[in-house]
Amino acid sequence: MNLLRGLTARYARSSVVCGLFRRRSLHTNVVETLRERNFVHSVTSDDIASRLQKPVAVYCGVDPTADSLHLGNMVALMGLLHFHLAGHQALPLVGNATGMIGDPSGRSSERVALGQNTLSKNVAGIEVQLERFFRRGTEYAARRIPSLDPESLKPVRILHNADWYQNMNILTFLGHIGRYVRVGAMVARDSVKSRLQSSQGISFTEFSYQLLQAYDFWYLYHHHGCRVQLGGSDQWGNITAGTDLIHRMPFSSTLDDTGVTSEDNDAVAAKAKGDEDGAFGITIPLLTTASGEKFGKSAGNAIWLDEKRTSAFDVYQFFVKTADADVERLLRMFTLLPLPRIEQVMLTHSEAPERFAAQKLLAAEVTELVHGLSGLQQALCATAVLFGDQLSPIQRFSAQDFADTFAHDQRMISIPAADIEGKSISDIAVLVGSCKSKAAAARLVSGGGLYWNNEPVMNKAWKPLAGTGDFIGQGTIGIVRTGKTNYRILRLLNDL
């Protein structure tokens, strides 16, 4: 953990940096913060800045199309995290009702319908990740802002839109909600127009999706005091459908008019009648790389936030490979680093781009945000093993770091310490499976292709001694590497 404390101190602990962060992010309008970090694509009204001078509820919806969120979802969630840290009420919404319909936005064909079992599994997975994202995000922010008191923030409330649809039938929906929506406006929205002009067209099911999302906003406005919806730029039509429905459809405390029940409907209705606050929408640019590719895709595979699908190491490696043209923009959007700190590292990077200072900072920050300090430690440990050099020595990691990082990796071989006593490096290379024979190991040594703890082995008969400086990780770890990336981790077990 000493390494992580050093990283935290290096990246964000100075009083000057923290002071800059505090002034820009906690004591100014959050819309200004979002604009500075390139989060704002469009707003439904410029009045939103003045409305956000006092705390409001803000929501962002996620449909459970998979059992894990991915980096594309994280863009909008980062925006919602900024609202949370600024003292607003964050309402992440799981679309367990709309997920059965499918959003046509940004799609050239209709989504495959999800079965109930798949939907339930996806909802459960996303619930866990949303809770973890905001918990870790708040912890991440607190480590960089000493004045931030997480206990003073409004608790994040994860909601499900099936809660207000489960007691509503189709006649109630069409008779009491559909009458306030104009078909002309629905057809004119880009997500619908593009599909109408395609050979596949659009089904009534997906055509009605915008009406469901509009009612989500209406319901949250009246029952949870939500005044802002946050979403990607492809959600503009759905968001404006919601603001329009809020303006058109009055609130009533009766079940017949709302399709929902509430324990304190009369109190909510009284509040709504006297509340003239508007409803607003903010859209975030859809993130693409400088080459125009959709962000978060790697060889056709999404980068998931679930460590079971994308490890902390893979998240770190994805960001450390960021192109120079993209790295500053991603530092603004995917980290909570102060802008002066970002400008500083970009200057350092411009002076020595071959050292990837900006990319390494980005990778460390995002990995810590998504996977916590332990995840970052594991990513750094794995990176040092695979790509270690004098700038990232593996000697700094503990035996527990290696055990945690490679716990489920077949390349970690656990052997009693007594079994390697008196054995040469050639014997050990065969024992752990790096070489098929001692002769093959000897040839590698002669050619400079056999490494022990990232150092070339010069003598095929050399015998590393257990419990000495020959082993790292408190004298229990030895790494045998052949070539650039073929490695085995020898973990010595203490004799009973």
Side-chain angles (χ1 to χ4, degrees):
M1 296 304 292
N2 289 334
L3 169 65
L4 290 172
R5 283 195 289 269
L7 283 170
T8 304
R10 178 182 176 187
Y11 293 158
R13 280 289 190 182
S14 76
S15 59
V16 173
V17 166
C18 288
L20 286 167
F21 187 100
R22 185 165 55 251
R23 288 196 298 272
R24 299 304 297 162
S25 293
L26 297 182
H27 294 297
T28 60
N29 193 285
V30 68
V31 175
E32 181 183 348
T33 299
L34 295 179
R35 289 188 190 279
E36 290 177 339
R37 291 180 174 270
N38 303 329
F39 272 98
V40 179
H41 181 270
S42 301
V43 296
T44 55
S45 171
D46 290 334
D47 292 340
I48 188 172
S50 60
R51 177 63 186 88
L52 293 178
Q53 294 297 333
K54 60 181 181 179
V56 300
V58 183
Y59 104 89
C60 176
V62 179
D63 277 349
T65 55
D67 61 0
S68 174
L69 302 169
H70 53 76
L71 288 185
N73 302 125
M74 186 175 163
V75 182
L77 292 178
M78 283 298 297
L80 194 58
L81 179 62
H82 277 286
F83 276 98
H84 172 61
L85 296 175
H88 298 281
Q89 174 68 68
L91 301 174
L93 175 67
V94 181
N96 53 342
T98 45
M100 294 188 289
I101 304 300
D103 185 0
S105 301
R107 303 271 307 181
S108 59
S109 60
E110 188 158 347
R111 295 181 185 272
V112 177
L114 298 176
Q116 188 58 52
N117 290 339
T118 300
L119 184 68
S120 298
K121 177 185 176 183
N122 292 353
V123 169
I126 288 176
E127 283 177 348
V128 171
Q129 289 176 35
L130 285 172
E131 185 279 328
R132 187 165 55 205
F133 175 82
F134 284 99
R135 173 170 47 82
R136 288 178 174 170
T138 303
E139 293 169 352
Y140 165 85
R143 286 190 289 269
R144 284 149 181 79
I145 315 170
S147 64
L148 179 64
D149 177 15
E151 297 299 322
S152 69
L153 301 177
K154 298 179 185 298
V156 174
R157 298 184 61 190
I158 300 174
L159 304 176
H160 306 79
N161 59 8
D163 291 346
W164 47 88
Y165 288 114
Q166 61 185 354
N167 295 323
M168 183 187 298
N169 60 42
I170 186 65
L171 295 178
T172 300
F173 187 78
L174 293 177
H176 297 276
I177 300 169
R179 70 175 65 254
Y180 292 99
V181 181
R182 306 274 72 85
V183 172
M186 295 177 68
V187 173
R189 294 194 169 98
D190 291 339
S191 60
V192 174
K193 283 198 300 185
S194 61
R195 290 283 294 277
L196 287 174
Q197 295 167 1
S198 70
S199 59
Q200 289 196 350
I202 186 171
S203 69
F204 175 76
T205 299
E206 287 199 335
F207 177 67
S208 65
Y209 182 93
Q210 59 181 294
L211 184 53
L212 295 172
Q213 186 167 328
Y215 183 71
D216 285 345
F217 197 1
W218 184 95
Y219 181 87
L220 293 171
Y221 181 94
H222 288 289
H223 290 265
H224 292 276
C226 181
R227 297 295 178 263
V228 180
Q229 181 179 174
L230 190 66
S233 59
D234 61 344
Q235 294 294 306
W236 178 255
N238 295 335
I239 291 174
T240 55
T243 57
D244 185 61
L245 185 64
I246 290 169
H247 294 149
R248 288 176 176 272
M249 190 169 93
F251 181 87
S252 171
S253 62
T254 65
L255 176 63
D256 289 340
D257 281 352
T258 64
V260 295
T261 58
S262 173
E263 293 181 358
D264 56 348
N265 262 342
D266 292 338
V268 174
K271 179 181 182 299
K273 290 177 181 178
D275 192 348
E276 300 301 326
D277 293 332
F280 303 92
I282 303 176
T283 60
I284 298 171
L286 292 181
L287 205 55
T288 59
T289 65
S291 61
E293 297 177 354
K294 189 174 182 180
F295 180 79
K297 298 286 185 178
S298 178
N301 297 315
I303 303 299
W304 303 98
L305 302 191
D306 184 350
E307 58 258 27
K308 294 179 181 177
R309 300 187 66 168
T310 303
S311 68
F313 168 74
D314 288 329
V315 171
Y316 183 92
Q317 288 301 313
F318 176 84
F319 281 98
V320 88
K321 295 174 184 176
T322 300
D324 288 349
D326 296 319
V327 66
E328 181 176 3
R329 180 163 51 105
L330 298 187
L331 279 166
R332 287 172 178 264
M333 297 188 76
F334 280 101
T335 80
L336 298 179
L337 291 171
L339 298 185
R341 175 69 180 101
I342 294 174
E343 293 166 1
Q344 175 192 352
V345 75
M346 290 308 302
L347 178 61
T348 301
H349 177 72
S350 67
E351 295 170 348
E354 71 280 1
R355 300 188 69 171
F356 303 103
Q359 283 89 344
K360 289 178 179 178
L361 176 60
L362 172 66
E365 292 289 314
V366 177
T367 305
E368 181 185 340
L369 172 63
V370 175
H371 293 292
L373 286 172
S374 62
L376 173 58
Q377 183 79 333
Q378 293 171 25
L380 292 173
C381 182
T383 299
V385 169
L386 281 173
F387 311 109
D389 53 32
Q390 293 181 350
L391 296 178
S392 55
I394 55 178
Q395 288 78 5
R396 61 188 179 180
F397 296 100
S398 69
Q400 190 61 50
D401 290 334
F402 285 100
D404 292 340
T405 301
F406 299 98
H408 305 292
D409 195 319
Q410 294 181 348
R411 289 166 293 191
M412 174 174 275
I413 313 297
S414 297
I415 297 176
D419 288 359
I420 64 102
E421 185 176 348
K423 285 185 167 54
S424 69
I425 186 63
S426 299
D427 293 319
I428 292 174
V430 174
L431 184 64
V432 299
S434 293
C435 297
K436 292 184 178 180
S437 66
K438 291 177 63 176
R443 287 192 295 271
L444 281 174
V445 171
S446 299
L450 182 64
Y451 294 80
W452 175 262
N453 292 338
N454 284 344
E455 296 289 340
V457 176
M458 308 305 295
N459 181 359
K460 65 180 181 181
W462 174 65
K463 298 177 181 180
L465 298 177
T468 71
D470 294 341
F471 285 78
I472 58 178
Q474 290 87 46
T476 63
I477 301 292
I479 299 173
V480 181
R481 177 162 62 87
T482 58
K484 291 185 176 181
T485 60
N486 182 20
Y487 66 92
R488 295 290 187 276
I489 301 167
L490 172 60
R491 181 188 182 198
L492 298 183
L493 302 177
N494 294 325
D495 296 331
L496 296 178

